[in-house]
Amino acid sequence: MARENDCEIIWKAFEQAYVGRDPCDVPPQAYDPLINSVKQHVVCNTMMFWSKTKDTVKAFADNRECLVILEGTLLGFVFDELTWCSKNESKETFTTDCPSWSHCENNPVRSFWNRASVNFAATSCGNVSAMLNGSLEAPFSSTSVFGSVEVKNLDPSKVNSLTVLLVTKETDLTTCDNPSFHALQNILDTKIAYKCRKVPYSKVEGCISDPEIPCSDCL
Ligand code: N1C
């Protein structure tokens, strides 16, 4: 039986995206071959997006099959927390002194997350959710990867609804009426139902410390 995912092929596809290129000249499309080299099985109704809640979401999704975040997929898992770049006409990969996220737009790491996020959103189906940070004055940002890439790439023929889970601490003032969510609803395709719900941080914390608690009791 042919192997589903071949590491040698995946690695070569990864390297061709940025090796030998100026580290500010690697567009998201450079990762097309990498994305296409991986077969990922998707389960509808499990996809969760996030913005400014990375540590909470990662701890929460760990050991919970009912939830899949990009970091729980092969590519997201492998490249999470990594930095990489090359140089014009170089054959090397460097892991230090690479451009930061906002130093230039087309840097190898940012373009990777943009491209992987397009794919993650475009393959989502059913009822999906997004965990946003209720401690912020504006939990939704149209310049974040979630706001600028993922919301726009949800396929209205496959996705029924998007539920914002606003993780809120007791002293937080932000609610689902926050004006930033108007911007989100404006970008979201009208065929996709929009919902928003507050989720107490204490509840999420409890579920992080006990992975046996079923998802339905956490969110
Ligand atoms: O810009 P963001 O969040 O809105 O991006 C988060 C959004 C998620 O839904 C993910 O699917 O985009 C995807 N994503 C990652 O999975 C990811 N892992 C690690 C985007 N960025 C990711 N990173 C790193 O987090 C990335 O290097 C960048 O610096 C941050 C973006 O986090 P954010 O602003 O909280």
Side-chain angles (χ1 to χ4, degrees), residues 57-214:
V57 168
K58 275 172 59 177
F60 185 61
D62 222 22
N63 301 317
R64 274 210 171 72
E65 275 184 24
C66 54
L67 273 186
V68 177
I69 55 172
L70 181 48
E71 283 70 18
T73 68
L74 192 148
L75 291 179
F77 181 81
V78 168
F79 295 108
D80 192 24
E81 310 282 340
L82 300 185
T83 299
W84 64 91
C85 65
S86 183
K87 279 193 181 109
N88 216 352
E89 296 185 20
S90 166
K91 287 190 171 66
E92 281 184 88
T93 291
F94 309 109
T95 54
T96 55
D97 298 318
C98 292
S100 64
W101 186 264
S102 30
H103 173 80
C104 52
E105 202 169 325
N106 283 340
N107 70 66
V109 175
R110 183 166 169 169
S111 290
F112 167 77
W113 287 112
N114 275 317
R115 184 61 187 85
S117 298
V118 166
N119 189 58
F120 186 60
T123 56
S124 306
C125 46
N127 302 309
V128 301
S129 60
M131 198 174 266
L132 304 185
N133 191 336
S135 301
L136 300 176
E137 231 170 276
F140 176 75
S141 156
S142 52
T143 57
S144 64
V145 175
F146 173 63
S148 64
V149 176
E150 292 176 326
V151 175
K152 293 174 186 165
N153 279 283
L154 296 174
D155 179 349
S157 70
K158 292 192 298 192
V159 176
N160 305 116
S161 68
L162 169 68
T163 302
V164 167
L165 300 167
L166 189 61
V167 180
T168 319
K169 296 183 176 158
E170 264 173 49
T171 48
D172 290 344
L173 300 173
T174 304
T175 68
C176 281
D177 297 326
N178 188 273
S180 73
F181 296 133
H182 297 158
L184 168 55
Q185 290 171 77
N186 282 337
I187 309 175
L188 189 66
D189 192 292
T190 50
K191 291 193 267 314
I192 301 175
Y194 167 81
K195 299 173 199 173
C196 178
R197 193 148 47 77
K198 260 198 190 186
V199 178
Y201 183 72
S202 56
K203 201 169 164 185
V204 176
E205 248 184 340
C207 286
I208 288 173
S209 58
D210 184 0
E212 300 291 312
I213 303 175

Side-chain angles (χ1 to χ4, degrees), residues 5-18 21 26-39 74-75 79 111-112 115-116 119:
N5 284 314
D6 186 323
C7 286
E8 295 287 337
I9 290 175
I10 295 171
W11 191 254
K12 287 282 166 259
F14 171 63
E15 286 188 319
Q16 70 74 40
Y18 67 92
R21 289 210 197 191
V26 177
Q29 309 87 271
Y31 290 99
D32 287 354
L34 174 65
I35 298 291
N36 294 328
S37 73
V38 175
K39 277 195 199 68
L74 192 148
L75 291 179
F79 295 108
S111 290
F112 167 77
R115 184 61 187 85
N119 189 58

